[in-house]
Amino acid sequence: MKNILEQIAQKPTEDIDCLIALIRKIRPRSPKKVEYAISQIENLIALLHIYPPLRESLLKYWTEICRSRSSLRLLTDLGIFSNLGFFTETNKKLVQKFLPEIHPENTFIYLLDQVFYKKNDYQWVNSVPDDVWIRLLKVLEIRPICSLQRDEIILEQILNALLIISLRMTTIGIDPEIVDRLPELEKFGSPFLAQNIEVDDFIKFFKDDPKFDRSIHNTDYKQILVILSQCESYIDIIRKNRNQYGITLNITYILLRLSQNIKRMKLLLVLLLEDKAAPAYQNEVSLLKEIVKLNNKKNSVTEHIANNISLLAFQITEHTGKTGEHYITSTRKEYFKMLKSASWGGFIVAFLCIFKTLLYYFKFPPFGQAFMYSMNYSFGFMTIYVTGSTLATKQPAMTATTIAQSLDAKHTQDPGYADNFAKLIAKVSRSQLVAFLGNVLVVFPVAFILAWNYFLFAGTHIADPHKARILLDELHPTQSYALFHAGIAGIYLFLAGLIAGYYDNKSISHKIPQRIKAHPFLKRILPKAWVNNLAGYLEHNLGNLAGNFYFGIFLGSTGILGIILGLPIDIRHITFAAGNLGLALAGLDNEVSWRTIWVSWLGIAGIGFMNFIVSFSLSITVAIQSRRVKFKETKKLFRGLRKLIFKKPLQFVFPPRKKPMSSETNPETEIQN
């Protein structure tokens, strides 16, 4: 390290190779080995104490580097979304990830790219304690930013950056997406406009007034902070009222841009002012850690997408969760009501199995076959929903969000939290089981009876022996792709749940019911009451209708897509599998061995398990991540669940005889209480 310091004294001041070499000496091999970095910084501090000429040359070297480089882009753009929009910004980050952007050599962003070039550098830089960095700055005797003269370049650039950020916030604050959600701003004045006036005055007085108060007690500074807090309050209002206004990627992107600019403005303001109560160089160290982290992660597509879709995913899963509460039974009355609802679902699916098999014989071209299969599924699922029937496999994607809601931190303070969570799992388990039974125990005999009646009437089987054998082969758990295909169906079930939540949110954010009520064509051809009823129905049911429609398209087109692509992909659904077994037995005149029947039922059980576990796992993962749930009580939860399993195992199959308290009728209320 001493050799590098000696080279710095001999090198031209604009050369950054020595700075790169110095950081390379400090950088640990693994970002987790921060002790190495700390020891190297301590060695550097000791060398600078022992050799004052080396300290002076390093200070001069760093001063010249700062004077010859612009920090404006770093202060205004690094870590802040552009005005390009979510998708363009995502594409930009993707391109820059593989073909990094070139910055002028006279900028600090170029310096950061060269010095902290490893993508995990921010980890060890942030792990080094603040006091270690502060002692390094103290021994170098670098002047704090708050003590710089008004005519110095760095100070001028910070003031310019403040003005740019302020103007940017004003522009964002008057965006129609913001104003539509905050109409009160038109009555009481917008803090997004007021902050620009205050910042402009602050900069003017800072530059022109020799007696300007450069402490954190500055009244102009405090006024700006008050206005910024008002801006943040309005951002929170939009987020909290997402159920009323809905949420979109665009508004999420805008809110993130506003939050980023507010945070950056606060950071720059505090750099300009002196806080005698805080350690010297504390703000400079905070700035160092922040910019290194932001620069390392500036092209992170994953983080960019996660930050933007988290609020939308939360809102979508919230709508799904509200639907999920209806799929959970607490009382015996609700339990048998679910059994009845699922039985009607199985009855409808029996007809769908017959229609699909009949469509098979029309020998449509691939697109036509995919379309007809899809419409059969889609309108069948929509019929199940409209009639109030239940398709068992729709439950996991819906109930997963309800479970995730119960894991929120606000519920974990209850002493009976673990026991209540176990009771909720028991309710979900028995509700899912009775729905499976209702579907399967009805669809199989109904499909079988309808197939036999068709044979008696038409003289031919719905599923001829060749087709019947294919249907049986597709149910074999080991000699076919049945379980793999059931997993694909599980993914589609998960996506259907997300789509339902997405369209519920879209109905609110795009004011679809209000648009339907005001639609000129509908008002001309339909009575007003009909239009209002249609709008009211779609307001509460658009999501589920869309989810069922798209789910049908997924199921109907996957097999044909697999044929076109030459891939072994298709779908298997437990209820349809049981119906197909009934058609196959009828098509083979019941001349099927008992072993084949038992193997087929084993395959159906496996298909149901894969449908459930895949859709439930994906759904609860998204729900938990969107709510940012922390698993601090995992052992406690599993202990409560294990206790209930051994103490009252039947509760996972059948509801208890005792009438539950009113809080138990709502799964989320139960957890809260």
Side-chain angles (χ1 to χ4, degrees), residues 494-537:
F494 157 71
L495 292 176
L498 288 186
I499 289 171
Y502 171 78
Y503 273 90
D504 276 330
N505 174 69
K506 190 172 185 178
S507 175
I508 298 172
S509 61
H510 289 72
K511 301 179 181 179
I512 291 176
Q514 293 86 338
R515 291 185 182 188
I516 290 175
K517 287 181 181 179
H519 198 285
F521 179 72
L522 292 178
K523 289 168 69 175
R524 282 199 305 269
I525 65 172
L526 295 175
K528 183 178 180 180
W530 289 20
V531 176
N532 290 340
N533 289 338
L534 175 62
Y537 183 80

Side-chain angles (χ1 to χ4, degrees), residues 518-582:
H519 198 285
F521 179 72
L522 292 178
K523 289 168 69 175
R524 282 199 305 269
I525 65 172
L526 295 175
K528 183 178 180 180
W530 289 20
V531 176
N532 290 340
N533 289 338
L534 175 62
Y537 183 80
L538 292 179
E539 182 177 4
H540 299 98
N541 300 283
L542 178 62
N544 281 298
L545 290 173
N548 281 297
F549 182 78
Y550 281 102
F551 182 47
I553 291 176
F554 294 153
L555 296 192
S557 57
T558 300
I560 306 302
L561 182 64
I563 294 173
I564 294 172
L565 298 177
L567 297 175
I569 58 173
D570 205 340
I571 59 93
R572 295 291 176 268
H573 185 282
I574 180 174
T575 314
F576 284 88
N580 288 340
L581 177 60

Side-chain angles (χ1 to χ4, degrees), residues 346-360:
F347 181 80
I348 294 172
V349 170
F351 285 91
L352 300 182
C353 292
I354 290 173
F355 295 154
K356 185 188 175 185
T357 304
L358 292 175
L359 288 171
Y360 167 80

Side-chain angles (χ1 to χ4, degrees), residues 202-245:
F202 177 87
I203 294 173
K204 182 180 178 181
F205 294 143
F206 190 99
K207 289 181 176 180
D208 300 340
D209 188 357
K211 297 181 180 180
F212 185 78
D213 182 10
R214 294 181 65 174
S215 74
I216 60 168
H217 304 294
N218 182 289
T219 54
D220 293 329
Y221 166 67
K222 290 184 177 180
Q223 179 64 18
I224 293 173
L225 291 184
V226 170
I227 296 175
L228 292 180
S229 68
Q230 293 174 356
C231 294
E232 291 174 322
S233 297
Y234 279 118
I235 292 173
D236 289 338
I237 288 172
I238 295 176
R239 285 174 172 160
K240 290 176 181 177
N241 291 339
R242 57 186 174 266
N243 288 331
Q244 180 181 353
Y245 301 116

Side-chain angles (χ1 to χ4, degrees), residues 259-426:
S259 298
Q260 290 169 343
N261 280 285
I262 291 172
K263 181 180 178 182
R264 183 60 52 84
M265 180 177 285
K266 288 181 177 180
L267 179 60
L268 296 182
L269 284 169
V270 81
L271 282 171
L272 296 170
L273 303 174
E274 182 181 8
D275 183 4
K276 294 183 179 179
Y281 301 106
Q282 181 63 60
N283 295 329
E284 284 77 5
V285 170
S286 298
L287 178 64
L288 169 68
K289 291 186 173 184
E290 180 75 5
I291 62 175
V292 172
K293 180 179 179 180
L294 292 174
N295 195 63
N296 282 167
K297 304 182 81 171
K298 64 185 177 184
N299 294 327
S300 174
V301 178
T302 303
E303 185 163 318
H304 171 69
I305 293 175
N307 287 335
N308 277 276
I309 70 170
S310 60
L311 191 61
L312 181 60
F314 179 87
Q315 183 67 1
I316 288 172
T317 55
E318 280 294 285
H319 286 295
T320 306
K322 292 176 183 177
T323 305
E325 293 173 6
H326 302 297
Y327 284 93
I328 299 176
T329 63
S330 297
T331 64
R332 292 194 174 189
K333 181 179 178 181
E334 293 174 351
Y335 184 83
F336 287 111
K337 184 179 179 182
M338 175 67 73
L339 178 62
K340 180 181 178 182
S341 173
S343 298
W344 278 111
F347 181 80
I348 294 172
V349 170
F351 285 91
L352 300 182
C353 292
I354 290 173
F355 295 154
K356 185 188 175 185
T357 304
L358 292 175
L359 288 171
Y360 167 80
Y361 294 108
F362 280 89
K363 301 300 181 183
F364 292 107
F367 176 81
Q369 191 171 14
F371 177 80
M372 296 304 295
Y373 281 0
S374 297
M375 292 304 101
N376 178 55
Y377 281 123
S378 293
F379 286 103
F381 294 148
M382 292 168 72
T383 301
I384 290 173
Y385 174 74
V386 170
T387 58
S389 305
T390 298
L391 189 66
T393 49
K394 294 296 293 294
Q395 286 180 285
M398 303 299 179
T399 57
T401 302
T402 306
I403 294 173
Q405 290 171 351
S406 72
L407 295 172
D408 268 353
K410 62 183 179 181
H411 303 318
T412 59
Q413 308 303 320
D414 183 2
Y417 165 67
D419 292 336
N420 288 334
F421 177 79
K423 292 177 183 177
L424 176 59
I425 296 298

